[in-house]
Amino acid sequence: MSTVVTSAPMAVRTRRLLDAPVTPTLLRLAAPNVLVMVLQAVVTTLDAVYVGWLGPSALAGVSLVYPLVMLMQTMSAGGMGGGIAAAVARALGAGRPAEARALAAHAVVIALVMASLFTTGLLLGGPVIYRAIGGTGDALEAALTYSRVVFGGAVVFWLLNTLASIVRGTGTMALPAAVMSGSAVLYLALAPALVTGWGPFPRLGVAGTATANLTAFALAAAVLAGYCCSSRSTVRLSFRKLRLRRALFWEILRVGAPGSLNTVLTNLTVVLMTGLVGPFGTAALAGYGLGARLEYIQIPLVFGLGSALVAMVGANVGAGQLARAERVAWTGAGLAAGVTAAIGLVAAVMPGTWLGLFTSDPQVQAVGALYLTIVGPAYGFFGLGLALYFASQGAGRLAWPLTAGVARLTAAAAGGWLAGYGFGWELPGIFVAMALALVVFGTTTAVAVRLGAWR
């Protein structure tokens, strides 16, 4: 009797991914994730607000570290996490639940290895990186303080996002969304107290937001671990009699590794741009960091839709329904492009609305406004490319999104240096190159998928 009860919901959930109307199903799956990612965007915004209380040097210092923090977040959630969710979805779509369970255990092993690489690499190499991209004086000290806390707890980020990816791969979106919403609320209560030393809390300054993040994420990871190991989970996580198999690692890594490389390209682009902006001074670094933070917010917002795309596309590809998988992808891409384009246009027209949340320094605001005015109108192309990247993860076809990421990096870095320094156009030239790079990214991915990259 118990076997029948637990297997029935699996069949119903998977059948919906394969047979239900595309747009309503996609929106239903995406809604919890989009809501929680909006909350995450609020958390990201307030993180900078709290750091802004400490002055421009603290903002500049966190701006140096932030691309690497986002690299870890996007790699664990969207890069490797997307590979995990896609592998689980394909196994379920093909009717292989035992394989899905084994994939879940292999995913946790990958997470532990990746977390150790981030902790070791950034604790040892962080100071060199931050100096190389313009960190000096108080800004460098703030960067080092923030970095030690965040990357010292890298395992928390990796476990949380890996467990959430396993659950999302089954088509269950509400639970990870609810858990992460709870962690966001805890962060919002804890972070300002730790930054300023309210009441019984210690005054941690720039390390306060990082400590609050680790605390909230650790509790969320514990909740998801309890669920995944219970009989309520569609794919039950267990390490008893686990036999590590190369084929199962490959099933995750053949999508997760290129996906992770794509997140490296995305964040390396911002790191290199930070390096190009750094010589213009601390105010320029802080202003660009605030503008780029709005660009980064597009990633979790599209991820809310993208996690649903991974599950739906992966299940349909696993079931051999390629035409339906492509229809799902274009529906999601249109929605993502519309939302991100609207955000970018509003920011370009009213940059002070965003920048005024963090600082009143006129020099910082001037640089941030210049960035948003030039780059904001190209955000729609970023959203388009990101959505099709997530859909391509579900399809197990990442060659063209990876090519688009390389093209974006090349256009931004080479174009930015040439425009800013070669032609002497300084910051406006650098920002124009960034905008063109987003257009290249979105257009390349869209054309490739349209011309049959999944076939």
Side-chain angles (χ1 to χ4, degrees):
M1 181 68 68
S2 61
T3 303
V4 174
V5 171
T6 54
S7 63
M10 291 173 59
V12 170
R13 187 174 295 118
T14 303
R15 197 178 305 117
R16 286 175 181 161
L17 299 178
L18 301 175
D19 299 334
V22 169
T23 301
T25 304
L26 183 62
L27 291 175
R28 178 179 59 81
L29 289 173
N33 294 320
V34 170
L35 289 175
V36 75
M37 291 305 158
V38 169
L39 185 55
Q40 287 291 337
V42 172
V43 167
T44 299
T45 302
L46 289 178
D47 184 87
V49 170
Y50 302 148
V51 173
W53 294 346
L54 304 173
S57 292
L59 276 173
V62 172
S63 295
L64 293 170
V65 184
Y66 195 66
L68 296 172
V69 175
M70 287 303 297
L71 170 62
M72 181 169 64
Q73 278 278 55
T74 54
M75 185 181 287
S76 58
M80 197 65 70
I84 292 164
V88 170
R90 285 194 300 271
L92 293 175
R96 300 191 296 267
E99 180 180 313
R101 290 192 292 272
L103 284 165
H106 283 67
V108 173
V109 173
I110 291 171
L112 294 175
V113 172
M114 293 301 298
S116 67
L117 291 176
F118 266 87
T119 295
T120 302
L122 272 302
L123 290 185
L124 294 178
V128 176
I129 295 172
Y130 307 138
R131 289 189 184 95
I133 58 177
T136 59
D138 291 341
L140 177 60
E141 187 58 37
L144 293 174
T145 300
Y146 187 81
S147 179
R148 290 187 195 106
V149 177
V150 168
F151 295 113
V155 67
V156 172
F157 290 85
W158 275 95
L159 283 178
L160 173 61
N161 287 321
T162 295
L163 294 169
S165 296
I166 293 169
V167 177
R168 291 190 187 105
T170 70
T172 302
M173 305 292 171
L175 177 65
V179 170
M180 290 190 170
S181 295
S183 73
V185 171
L186 177 58
Y187 167 84
L188 292 175
L190 196 56
L194 291 176
V195 169
T196 61
W198 290 350
F201 295 97
R203 179 183 170 85
L204 299 181
V206 75
T209 57
T211 303
N213 249 324
L214 287 180
T215 303
F217 277 18
L219 292 174
V223 172
L224 283 180
Y227 170 79
C228 288
C229 293
S230 74
S231 59
R232 298 189 302 277
S233 177
T234 301
V235 174
R236 189 170 184 178
L237 179 62
S238 175
F239 296 94
R240 293 180 61 186
K241 300 181 181 178
L242 173 64
R243 183 170 63 88
L244 298 179
R245 289 188 283 167
R246 183 181 302 176
L248 295 183
F249 280 125
W250 173 245
E251 186 63 20
I252 295 171
L253 292 174
R254 72 184 183 89
V255 174
S260 295
L261 180 56
N262 203 56
T263 65
V264 170
L265 294 172
T266 297
N267 290 279
L268 181 58
T269 301
V270 178
V271 170
L272 293 177
M273 293 301 99
T274 303
L276 291 178
V277 172
F280 292 93
T282 298
L285 197 58
Y288 166 64
L290 294 179
R293 189 173 284 258
L294 183 60
E295 179 183 323
Y296 264 128
I297 284 177
Q298 314 304 307
I299 297 176
L301 291 178
V302 177
F303 176 77
L305 183 63
S307 56
L309 285 171
V310 170
M312 281 193 77
V313 171
N316 281 279
V317 169
Q321 300 181 171
L322 187 56
R324 176 179 167 86
E326 290 177 336
R327 191 162 67 251
V328 170
W330 286 112
T331 301
L335 291 170
V339 171
T340 53
I343 293 172
L345 290 172
V346 170
V349 174
M350 299 183 294
T353 304
W354 170 257
L355 299 168
L357 295 173
F358 312 104
T359 183
S360 58
D361 186 293
Q363 289 181 298
V364 174
Q365 287 207 356
V367 175
L370 179 65
Y371 167 87
L372 291 174
T373 302
I374 295 173
V375 183
Y379 281 178
F381 290 93
F382 191 38
L384 174 67
L386 279 177
L388 290 175
Y389 155 75
F390 285 118
S392 297
Q393 279 190 313
R397 296 287 189 271
L398 279 176
W400 275 105
L402 192 58
T403 300
V406 172
R408 180 196 173 195
L409 173 63
T410 303
W417 182 88
L418 188 62
Y421 295 92
F423 294 149
W425 297 340
E426 300 187 336
L427 288 177
I430 294 172
F431 294 158
V432 167
M434 292 181 190
L436 291 176
L438 293 181
V439 175
V440 168
F441 174 68
T443 302
T444 301
T445 309
V447 170
V449 174
R450 176 61 71 184
L451 293 179
W454 294 0
R455 297 177 182 273

